[in-house]
Amino acid sequence: MDTKYIYSVLAFIIVGFAIAAIWHFVLFGQVYTDLKIYSIEPIIALGFISFILEALAFVYVFQLFRRGKKPVLEGLIFGLVVYGIIMGGIGVLAEGAKHYVTSLSTWLLVEGAFYLITGAIIGSVVGLIYGKSPHNE
């Protein structure tokens, strides 16, 4: 297996999980509590498994579509589109539609920002790890 793939998957999991933990439990922990989005205590293990699956798929698809000319920019755009918009659409809009929240506008703003920011950072990191393609240097 390609070492860049493995490093990128690990970076996605570590960086993404760190952002999620800080965002949901430290920076905006009280906001999420006030939104009453959690009907039970969050099951951290399921979140971690989710990040593993997301990382495997995200990095696999990234390596298929990257051009390798401007790797960080390509990663940033890929992260915003795939994680920020596609995953965010599921995680923000669909979850907001299915679960009671005390303020839908606050949910959309805070959770939407989480997906966009996380996608931008993770995508940039993955792009940085992959770097320029040898034929583009």
Side-chain angles (χ1 to χ4, degrees):
M1 190 174 287
D2 181 17
T3 56
K4 288 183 180 182
Y5 179 80
I6 294 169
Y7 290 147
S8 293
V9 166
L10 290 173
F12 183 109
I13 294 166
I14 293 165
V15 172
F17 200 74
I19 294 169
I22 292 167
W23 186 277
H24 290 95
F25 300 119
V26 178
L27 297 177
F28 297 100
Q30 190 59 50
V31 173
Y32 287 101
T33 299
D34 293 345
L35 285 169
K36 301 194 184 308
I37 190 68
Y38 304 127
S39 58
I40 60 170
E41 283 294 314
I43 303 169
I44 305 299
L46 289 179
F48 191 72
I49 292 168
S50 174
F51 264 100
I52 292 170
L53 297 174
E54 291 168 21
L56 292 168
F58 181 96
V59 176
Y60 179 78
V61 175
F62 174 78
Q63 67 181 353
L64 295 176
F65 287 94
R66 75 184 195 95
R67 292 191 171 97
K69 293 180 182 177
K70 297 181 180 178
V72 175
L73 180 61
E74 290 172 9
L76 171 71
I77 293 168
F78 188 82
L80 285 171
V81 172
V82 172
Y83 200 86
I85 296 173
I86 297 173
M87 290 288 299
I90 296 165
V92 178
L93 300 176
E95 293 303 312
K98 293 186 289 186
H99 300 285
Y100 170 78
V101 291
T102 57
S103 171
L104 188 57
S105 60
T106 301
W107 167 257
L108 295 173
L109 178 67
V110 174
E111 194 68 355
F114 164 75
Y115 276 97
L116 289 170
I117 291 167
T118 303
I121 294 170
I122 288 172
S124 297
V125 169
V126 169
L128 188 63
I129 292 169
Y130 268 89
K132 289 187 174 186
S133 295
H135 62 276
N136 287 323
E137 292 179 349

